[in-house]
């Protein structure tokens, strides 16, 4: 064990050891996406505890473990990547059935999102065994957290994760056309050698704000928001802007609905539900402004009360 990391590993045991870590369990461990300091104490504890580590790239994972003073013999590193995931799952399941604890890590971030891991977890659960998540770094949620994506007229909203778009030009254009009809925040991933092509494809979205986040958590991290139509020129303005792995966030757009339709939906909901619940559902269904719908709901309720009193 590297003595420089001994205090951190001791702290990990102190902080995380009280929890139960059952045998025969696959521990899906999020690892840093660039900054080694972004490892959780629980992840460090589990990486010390498990009998073996399944990983996307054994050499990469061994280097990461070594940096924390957790280097393992090669026999305890199991290669499970996109090309062998289905077959390798059988070996992992056999170890779990013997009562071993196995950790799974991808090269960076949270496994099973845009990296391998989903098929492995599906196979493990189908075998009646348990998968336990250890949350941590994620480029997707990191980018969303600073992009400032608030749906127009609302205070919050969800997002759609679309991952990597097709590499062929015609297929990519078709995918962008579909995205143009998506009003919610949409998150894409892209490699540096294709970011210029993606920017050109997204330019058809015009004034729609797009946040480019590259090298998240690393020394040259850069996060910048521009109108979609301006992305190609911005990237061409400085060669360094196209370097690194990208998370691309398409900001949400206003959904224009007929006011009469929103009122009709709101009236139906108010007849059965409390005001706040009815307003929230009406806004979700119609895309209407929640504050405006709340004011309208109060007006409708007052009008009903006045009508009852007049009768």
């Amino acid at each position: 064990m590297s003595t420089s990391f001994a205090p951190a590993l001791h702290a990990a045991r102190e902080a995380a050891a009280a929890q139960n870590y059952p045998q025969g369990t696959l521990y899906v461990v999020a690892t840093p996406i660039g900054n080694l300091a972004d490892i959780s104490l629980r992840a460090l504890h589990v990486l010390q505890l498990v009998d073996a580590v399944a990983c996307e790239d054994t050499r990469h994972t061994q280097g990461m473990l070594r940096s924390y003073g957790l280097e393992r013999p090669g026999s305890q590193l199991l290669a499970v990547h996109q090309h062998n995931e289905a077959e390798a799952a059988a070996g992992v399941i056999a170890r779990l059935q013997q009562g071993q604890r196995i950790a799974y890590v991808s090269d960076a971030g949270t496994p099973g999102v845009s990296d391998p891991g989903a098929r492995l977890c599906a196979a493990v659960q189908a075998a009646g065994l348990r998968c336990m998540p250890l949350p941590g770094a994620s480029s997707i949620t990191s980018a969303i957290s600073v992009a400032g994506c608030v749906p127009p007229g609302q205070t919050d909203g969800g997002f759609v994760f679309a991952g990597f778009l097709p590499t062929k030009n015609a297929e990519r254009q078709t995918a962008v056309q579909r995205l143009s009809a998506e009003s919610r925040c949409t998150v894409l991933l892209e490699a540096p050698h294709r970011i210029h092509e993606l920017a050109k494809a997204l330019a058809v979205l015009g004034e729609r704000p797009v946040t480019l986040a590259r090298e998240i958590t690393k020394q040259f991290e850069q996060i910048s928001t521009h109108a979609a139509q301006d992305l190609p020129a911005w990237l061409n303005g400085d060669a360094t802007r196209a370097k690194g792995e990208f998370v691309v966030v398409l900001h949400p757009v206003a959904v224009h609905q007929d006011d009469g339709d929103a009122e009709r939906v709101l009236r139906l909901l108010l007849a059965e539900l409390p005001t706040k619940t009815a307003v929230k559902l009406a806004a979700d269904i119609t895309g209407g402004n929640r504050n405006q719908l709340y004011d309208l709901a109060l007006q409708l309720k007052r009008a009903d009360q006045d009508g009852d009193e007049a009768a």
Side-chain angles (χ1 to χ4, degrees):
M1 179 187 297
S2 172
T3 56
S4 62
F5 285 95
L9 297 178
H10 176 73
R13 286 192 294 270
E14 290 293 310
Q19 183 174 344
N20 181 38
Y21 297 94
Q23 294 179 312
T25 296
L26 178 69
Y27 295 86
V28 181
V29 182
T31 56
I33 56 177
N35 191 320
L36 286 172
D38 291 335
I39 189 84
S40 73
L41 290 177
R42 193 155 71 106
L44 287 175
H45 176 67
V46 166
L47 290 172
Q48 295 176 79
L49 178 70
V50 294
D51 298 290
V53 179
C55 46
E56 185 177 1
D57 184 321
T58 56
R59 290 172 298 179
H60 178 92
T61 297
Q62 185 71 285
M64 180 195 70
L65 293 174
R66 186 179 298 119
S67 71
Y68 298 124
L70 295 175
E71 185 173 2
R72 286 177 172 266
S75 60
Q76 294 181 9
L77 294 177
L78 315 175
V80 182
H81 46 74
Q82 63 176 339
H83 302 297
N84 77 341
E85 190 171 357
E87 298 82 2
V92 173
I93 290 170
R95 286 174 175 258
L96 294 173
Q97 289 172 334
Q98 295 169 10
Q100 292 188 23
R101 300 180 182 94
I102 307 292
Y104 180 72
V105 300
S106 59
D107 285 350
T110 303
V113 180
S114 64
D115 293 332
R119 289 187 177 88
L120 175 61
C121 286
V124 167
Q125 294 179 55
L129 298 164
R130 182 178 179 183
C131 297
M132 181 181 290
L134 272 71
S138 166
S139 63
I140 298 163
T141 53
S142 296
I144 291 174
S145 71
V146 295
C149 289
V150 179
Q154 301 181 39
T155 58
D156 54 21
F159 70 90
V160 176
F161 175 58
F164 290 90
L165 294 190
T167 57
K168 293 183 179 179
N169 186 51
E171 294 176 358
R172 188 191 302 114
Q173 289 179 343
T174 300
V176 171
Q177 289 176 358
R178 288 197 298 267
L179 292 178
S180 68
E182 174 57 68
S183 62
R184 292 170 293 179
C185 173
T186 303
V187 183
L188 310 173
L189 300 178
E190 193 52 275
H193 63 280
R194 289 197 298 264
I195 191 62
H196 284 284
E197 287 72 18
L198 178 62
K200 291 176 184 176
L202 294 177
V204 299
L205 300 180
E207 294 289 341
R208 185 168 182 174
V210 178
T211 295
L212 296 182
R214 70 179 186 91
E215 296 291 84
I216 294 177
T217 78
K218 300 178 184 178
Q219 182 178 359
F220 299 108
E221 174 184 280
Q222 185 176 31
I223 300 170
S224 185
T225 301
H226 307 272
Q229 63 193 16
D230 298 332
L231 292 178
W234 184 79
L235 285 171
N236 288 325
D238 185 340
T240 62
R241 293 172 181 169
K243 294 181 178 180
E245 300 297 322
F246 282 84
V247 180
V248 181
V249 182
L250 311 185
H251 288 230
V253 295
V255 179
H256 300 289
Q257 297 283 345
D258 179 73
D259 290 341
D261 184 55
E263 180 176 340
R264 180 182 64 81
V265 171
L266 181 60
R267 284 181 179 275
L268 292 172
L269 293 172
L270 283 172
E272 304 294 336
L273 299 169
T275 301
K276 289 185 178 180
T277 304
V279 167
K280 180 182 183 302
L281 289 175
D284 291 343
I285 293 169
T286 67
N289 183 290
R290 189 175 297 185
N291 292 332
Q292 293 177 358
L293 286 172
Y294 187 77
D295 291 339
L296 177 59
L298 295 180
Q299 294 175 17
L300 293 174
K301 292 181 75 69
R302 282 197 296 267
D304 289 343
Q305 291 172 355
D306 291 343
D308 291 341
E309 291 175 359

